[in-house]
Amino acid sequence: MAHEAVIGLECHVQLRTNTKMFCACPVRFGSEPNTNVCPVCLGLPGALPRLNDAAVEYALRLGLALGCRVREVSVFARKNYFYPDMPKNYQITQYDLPLCEGGELPAVIDGVPRTFALTRIHLEEDAGKSFHPERHGDRSLSRVDFNRAGVPLVELVTEPVLRTPAECTAFLTALRRLVRALGISDGDMEKGQLRCDANVSLRPAGAAALGTKTEIKNLNSIKGVEKGVTAEIARQRRLLDGGEAIVQATLLYDADHDKLAIMRTKEHAHDYRYFPDPDLPVLRVEQARVARVRETLPELPWVREARLITGYALPAYDAAVLCETPALADYFEAVARGADAKLASNWIMTEVLRVLNERAWTLERWAARVPAERLHDLFARVGSRELPGPVAKQVFAWMCDEDGAVPELLERHGVRVQGSSDELAPLVEQVIHEHPGPVAQYLAGEAKTLGFLVGQVMKKSGGQAVPQVVQELLRAALAKGGPGA
Ligand code: ADP
Ligand code: MG
Ligand code: ZN
């Protein structure tokens, strides 16, 4: 029987606040183990949590960007379980009354836009980090670092609306871009700032009811999610095809070896004995605050992407690349204003991004070296045919390392662009005389031979003529009747 996969994602996003969720310890990646800790995040007896309002603000930004409903009153609950990296033996999270509900994330799959419905977004604290012997070779001891304990997280839960591993990738890529654009997280999966649990089930194609699901825990790369979900769909398909039933389970996926392992088979909400945390008051978010946060949201990435496509007549691909970060889109818009937008987009996507990559520069560093106005000026000169493409490329290369306006750079490097008819006319005449065959073909109506002749003149100019100007001069000369005329 043909089966279709159903996938729901639970994504954890570490918020980029200065301090932790319920104490004043700094949120910092890469510190010495157990240095960013205090009685609250170590769960010492008698220590009391106090909510970090910045975490609420960030969660509201995310929720409102995604069109969620915001609860005026939401509640922090204790999720009770034992784990060595969780010193209180409970995690403070939100359960039946989360901060945000509903909403949807837009994403593009194979060039086709669609939206993924969300169930909820709630606030919770992160746990510490365990280092287990299997992974470190020192089999006799496990170690734990509490720097991460109490770091604020939002958990974003989707409805079971994803169907393929590729959709998971599109979803996570869109989510990562959004949290970065909102400035609420760096969304770096390698640093654990974005982590994901994937719930997977199969059902007969076309069936309405959902099948029994399994949950792959703690996937920590987008590629890992795609591969893990692919492996789990294949595993379930094999079982169902062999007439076996799927057992609800929590799985671990080892991306390095493409292996799934069953961690535990039964887990129900009631096992966690959720109850409202008596140490924290309910969280109230007034309508006025919701309105204020909504007003201060930046232009959302997918809105900006659509605007670049319609406003600058860019292909969808270009718009997606340029909207990867707000800074890159800002830079593009500053360069493209009043210039040839597609030219600007081509140069930024190929040349600028290549240099950033080669030099491992941030866009900020690049923009300090080559401010948008400088590039704008270069493209304006290409557009007005003052500079031929090859010379513009050369000027661009100088710009990466040197100061100075375009004319200064040309002078400094002793390059004179051959632009005037006086300079080019002799070259045009020479080429017409040297290539009587192609000239005759052109005059006989074969328009495309003109390209060959233009190329010959360009060669003689050492690449320093503007092709459009050469073309005009050739056309005019040939209209007068070819060689000798
Ligand atoms: P749990 O209580 O086990 O965490 P939830 O109902 O809260 O399960 O759902 C967790 C995630 O699993 C959500 O993203 C949801 O969309 C997804 N999900 C629920 N049921 C299924 C299913 N049968 N197949 C795939 N995903 C599912
Ligand atoms: Mg779950
Ligand atoms: Zn602390």
Side-chain angles (χ1 to χ4, degrees):
M1 193 191 304
H3 287 97
E4 77 167 350
V6 174
I7 307 154
L9 300 176
E10 298 166 84
C11 306
H12 291 92
V13 182
Q14 257 185 19
L15 299 176
R16 204 176 70 180
T17 50
N18 293 322
T19 55
K20 291 186 181 179
M21 182 92 163
F22 298 112
C23 63
C25 293
V27 170
R28 206 173 289 144
F29 182 86
S31 300
E32 278 294 299
N34 299 308
T35 52
N36 302 329
V37 293
C38 76
V40 173
C41 55
L42 287 176
L44 300 189
L48 287 173
R50 185 162 173 274
L51 179 61
N52 179 352
D53 193 58
V56 177
E57 189 78 7
Y58 285 8
L60 286 173
R61 262 190 229 171
L62 181 62
L64 293 173
L66 293 167
C68 303
R69 297 182 299 279
V70 174
R71 244 176 211 290
E72 207 164 321
V73 174
S74 63
V75 170
F76 287 100
R78 291 185 180 181
K79 181 180 184 181
N80 298 280
Y81 63 99
F82 168 79
Y83 209 75
D85 61 19
M86 208 180 50
K88 298 194 297 292
N89 284 347
Y90 61 83
Q91 177 193 26
I92 305 178
T93 179
Q94 296 190 303
Y95 181 51
D96 51 347
L97 299 170
L99 182 62
C100 299
E101 289 165 306
E104 55 187 27
L105 175 68
V108 176
I109 294 107
D110 294 333
V112 183
R114 56 162 296 189
T115 56
F116 295 102
L118 307 176
T119 310
R120 56 190 274 156
I121 300 176
H122 66 253
L123 276 163
E124 61 185 32
E125 58 177 347
D126 209 342
K129 212 173 162 166
S130 304
F131 298 88
H132 292 304
E134 303 80 47
R135 288 199 221 146
H136 289 268
D138 47 350
R139 291 193 159 268
S140 59
L141 80 162
S142 276
R143 292 167 295 177
V144 65
D145 175 7
F146 290 112
N147 285 345
R148 202 178 70 177
V151 167
L153 297 178
V154 286
E155 176 171 346
L156 175 152
V157 182
T158 76
E159 290 286 290
V161 288
L162 297 104
R163 295 288 173 268
T164 63
E167 287 186 356
C168 297
T169 298
F171 181 93
L172 290 167
T173 309
L175 178 62
R176 184 177 61 185
R177 181 174 75 163
L178 176 63
V179 299
R180 288 175 177 170
L182 294 173
I184 64 171
S185 175
D186 293 331
D188 190 337
M189 288 189 91
E190 271 169 24
K191 292 184 181 162
Q193 292 161 342
L194 176 57
R195 309 192 291 271
C196 180
D197 304 337
N199 298 267
V200 179
S201 66
L202 294 189
R203 66 180 172 192
L210 294 173
T212 302
K213 76 171 166 84
T214 59
E215 177 173 0
I216 316 170
K217 277 280 179 201
N218 260 322
L219 295 159
N220 54 13
S221 73
I222 293 181
K223 199 86 235 139
V225 174
E226 177 149 357
K227 283 171 64 185
V229 169
T230 303
E232 177 56 7
I233 291 173
R235 189 188 70 93
Q236 291 191 17
R237 192 161 275 150
R238 272 197 306 277
L239 287 172
L240 291 174
D241 286 347
E244 288 181 64
I246 305 299
V247 179
Q248 190 204 316
T250 303
L251 310 174
L252 285 181
Y253 177 67
D254 175 350
D256 295 334
H257 304 94
D258 193 24
K259 272 217 177 87
L260 286 160
I262 293 186
M263 193 158 83
R264 49 179 184 260
T265 50
K266 260 213 189 88
E267 179 194 316
H268 297 289
H270 60 245
D271 296 333
Y272 290 117
R273 295 293 188 271
Y274 284 99
F275 65 89
D277 192 316
D279 289 342
L280 287 159
V282 298
L283 171 56
R284 273 181 203 286
V285 178
E286 310 289 341
Q287 279 309 309
R289 181 172 189 186
V290 171
R292 185 180 54 66
V293 174
R294 204 192 299 276
E295 260 166 42
T296 54
L297 287 180
E299 185 179 21
L300 299 173
W302 53 87
V303 175
R304 189 163 203 182
E305 207 175 324
R307 183 168 63 73
L308 291 199
I309 294 171
T310 52
Y312 293 88
L314 287 186
Y317 175 81
D318 295 40
V321 173
L322 296 170
C323 289
E324 184 53 34
T325 64
L328 186 61
D330 288 345
Y331 188 79
F332 162 76
E333 290 206 77
V335 171
R337 210 154 280 146
D340 179 343
K342 181 58 183 152
L343 182 74
S345 158
N346 285 348
W347 275 71
I348 291 173
M349 290 196 309
T350 55
E351 304 302 320
V352 175
L353 293 183
R354 175 180 58 75
V355 174
L356 294 194
N357 197 27
E358 282 171 6
R359 303 187 177 195
W361 278 12
T362 60
L363 184 68
E364 211 175 12
R365 174 142 187 219
W366 167 262
R369 177 79 259 165
V370 184
E373 307 80 64
R374 253 186 128 194
L375 216 49
H376 177 87
D377 177 50
L378 179 65
F379 296 157
R381 289 167 195 268
V382 176
S384 70
R385 304 175 177 188
E386 185 188 324
L387 280 188
V391 175
K393 277 235 160 87
Q394 183 57 69
V395 172
F396 175 86
W398 294 326
M399 278 183 170
C400 301
D401 297 300
E402 296 172 39
D403 290 330
V406 175
E408 277 175 73
L409 286 166
L410 289 171
E411 198 179 320
R412 191 178 305 152
H413 292 271
V415 170
R416 243 174 39 75
V417 176
Q418 298 186 330
S420 73
S421 335
D422 287 355
E423 290 165 323
L424 292 173
L427 304 184
V428 167
E429 282 308 314
Q430 279 173 32
V431 165
I432 289 176
H433 277 282
E434 287 165 13
H435 300 281
V439 166
Q441 282 175 355
Y442 174 77
L443 292 175
E446 261 191 64
K448 63 177 194 287
T449 8
L450 190 66
F452 167 77
L453 297 169
V454 171
Q456 296 307 307
V457 178
M458 290 301 296
K459 219 186 236 171
K460 281 193 189 293
S461 79
Q464 291 179 20
V466 182
Q468 291 92 333
V469 174
V470 171
Q471 192 173 28
E472 275 159 25
L473 290 172
L474 266 169
R475 271 219 183 89
L478 292 168
K480 283 190 264 163

